[in-house]
Amino acid sequence: MQAPSDVITKDIMHQMETLGFLLLSNIPGFSEEEIFKWQKWFFSLPSDVKDKLIMNHFNHPDSPNHYRGLAPFIDNDISHKEFLEVGLDLSKVSPLEQQLPLHEPTPWPSHPETPLFKSFMTRHYDFMLQLGIKVMRHIAVGLGKPEGFFDSWFEKDTLSTLRIIHYMPRSAQVVRMDQLSGEELKMITPIHSDSGFLTLLTTYDYHGLQVDLGSGTFRSIRPVPATLVVNLGDMFSRMTGYRLKATKHRVLDIGIERYSSPFFLEPHYLARIPTDLLTGEYQSVGDVSGEGHIYGDWLIDKIRSYGEYKHFKVTKPLARELLKQE
């Protein structure tokens, strides 16, 4: 395996320490055209086909899924979008982690072309996972750790999510918006920072993404073809003593239909998050035990702060409850 380039590592660390965002270009094997094609195909499916994929906590009590599946447009929600959440194939998840929340089979639409769609999405998920691990190796080296320091968190049982998003302009009147303020009506994703570790975002050629440079001053991220926008999440920033930044960002309503596809790189549910990452004598994160947060339990508490998951239901024991029984 080729060691991370010193030049690339320094550039990544500089961007993550100062802004928390960077652009990743010239990625071998990355096909922006193909993901865009399948994303548009999915969201153009008839409503009665897509509705069968809606997650339980969106007023679909018959749905067995709570974390994988479709989130529809919601009345008076400042996150004006619908999106599909795709997770790791459940057959690749260990029996222990399958006992915990969040790991679920991804539901797929009933359609003749679904086998091709599923095949692509599965391949793309694996591609983005490996790309995220490569970026984490650069960050590990930049933090003075061994190159593979973070690998064990992501190589098995990862909670990583591939999301495809469809936005509609407010002018389309897809849902009621009578309870929103004038400022809220300007946005289709409100100001927030991501939850976990890394986000690798495909924006295609759409404008609208803005990052907070500090004190509420926002800067637009210019879309670049075949380029990923990479940013840090809250947990990773906190874990580094805020040396790395989890920058707040938002998406504006640009008046036209819009698409994007983030990949959220997340560790496995039972990953122990160290409180002393930069000072501890670990050779890998696999050495951390009996201290800090259990990642999956923390993530459930975190996602409930987002509007789309405020009614999220936990139907399996949390790790802290399961481990207490042993």
Side-chain angles (χ1 to χ4, degrees):
M1 182 185 301
Q2 189 175 12
S5 160
D6 288 343
V7 174
I8 296 175
T9 296
K10 288 179 181 178
D11 185 50
I12 287 175
M13 293 301 293
H14 173 71
Q15 295 294 329
M16 290 307 185
E17 289 173 342
T18 58
L19 184 60
F21 273 76
L22 62 88
L23 299 181
L24 200 60
S25 302
N26 301 316
I27 306 165
F30 175 62
S31 175
E32 185 178 78
E33 295 81 7
E34 195 170 7
I35 179 65
F36 188 55
K37 177 190 77 173
W38 282 115
Q39 186 162 348
K40 292 191 72 174
W41 172 86
F42 175 79
F43 288 113
S44 67
L45 291 174
S47 294
D48 61 334
V49 174
K50 291 190 298 180
D51 286 353
K52 294 176 181 177
L53 310 179
I54 294 177
M55 289 178 274
N56 181 286
H57 55 96
F58 293 102
N59 293 319
H60 275 250
D62 293 335
S63 171
N65 278 42
H66 299 265
Y67 195 56
R68 304 303 183 193
L70 182 67
F73 288 106
I74 305 172
D75 284 348
N76 290 304
D77 194 336
I78 55 175
S79 293
H80 194 62
K81 59 195 176 188
E82 58 177 339
F83 56 87
L84 179 70
E85 303 272 51
V86 176
L88 182 68
D89 189 313
L90 199 60
S91 67
K92 298 180 180 179
V93 179
S94 68
L96 174 58
E97 292 240 343
Q98 285 194 34
Q99 297 179 52
L100 298 161
L102 304 181
H103 286 295
E104 295 177 337
T106 300
W108 302 102
S110 177
H111 191 278
E113 292 189 73
T114 290
L116 293 175
F117 174 63
K118 179 180 178 181
S119 176
F120 170 74
M121 294 294 283
T122 302
R123 294 195 313 273
H124 188 61
Y125 181 101
D126 291 340
F127 175 85
M128 297 298 282
L129 174 61
Q130 293 307 314
L131 182 60
I133 290 173
K134 289 178 182 178
V135 175
M136 290 294 290
R137 288 172 180 165
H138 283 286
I139 294 175
V141 172
L143 292 172
K145 303 295 183 180
E147 176 189 340
F149 184 75
F150 295 108
D151 285 10
S152 63
W153 268 354
F154 307 105
E155 289 180 328
K156 294 180 180 179
D157 296 337
T158 176
L159 285 172
S160 297
T161 295
L162 171 60
R163 176 184 290 181
I164 54 175
I165 309 175
H166 175 220
Y167 307 84
M168 291 292 287
R170 298 286 186 182
S171 57
Q173 295 292 315
V174 177
V175 299
R176 292 172 53 235
M177 298 170 289
D178 56 290
Q179 297 177 22
L180 301 181
S181 69
E183 187 65 25
E184 289 169 335
L185 289 171
K186 297 176 184 177
M187 293 183 285
I188 49 179
T189 300
I191 300 169
H192 70 287
S193 53
D194 291 342
S195 57
F197 284 80
L198 281 183
T199 302
L200 295 89
L201 174 66
T202 307
T203 60
Y204 308 111
D205 200 26
Y206 292 103
H207 293 264
L209 175 64
Q210 295 188 325
V211 302
D212 187 355
L213 299 181
S215 303
T217 302
F218 282 87
R219 171 187 174 187
S220 293
I221 300 292
R222 181 173 61 88
V224 180
T227 297
L228 294 173
V229 180
V230 182
N231 66 280
L232 256 78
D234 286 333
M235 175 56 81
F236 200 14
S237 176
R238 183 192 309 179
M239 198 172 67
T240 64
Y242 303 99
R243 173 178 168 181
L244 305 183
K245 295 185 65 175
T247 300
K248 292 187 180 299
H249 50 285
R250 66 186 184 184
V251 182
L252 301 182
D253 184 346
I254 58 175
I256 61 172
E257 196 172 23
R258 186 182 187 277
Y259 298 87
S260 71
S261 179
F263 181 85
F264 301 106
L265 183 71
E266 313 270 7
H268 61 95
Y269 193 109
L270 290 171
R272 288 280 185 173
I273 308 303
T275 56
D276 56 349
L277 175 72
L278 299 184
T279 58
E281 298 298 321
Y282 314 114
Q283 288 304 300
S284 81
V285 289
D287 296 340
V288 181
S289 62
E291 60 177 69
H293 295 282
I294 298 174
Y295 183 73
D297 287 359
W298 173 86
L299 181 61
I300 288 172
D301 291 336
K302 177 68 176 180
I303 63 175
R304 282 173 164 163
S305 68
Y306 298 124
E308 302 96 330
Y309 285 94
K310 61 187 176 184
H311 299 301
F312 176 79
K313 300 175 183 176
V314 177
T315 58
K316 297 179 181 179
L318 298 174
R320 54 181 175 262
E321 298 166 353
L322 190 67
L323 296 176
K324 191 183 299 183
Q325 297 171 11
E326 295 181 353

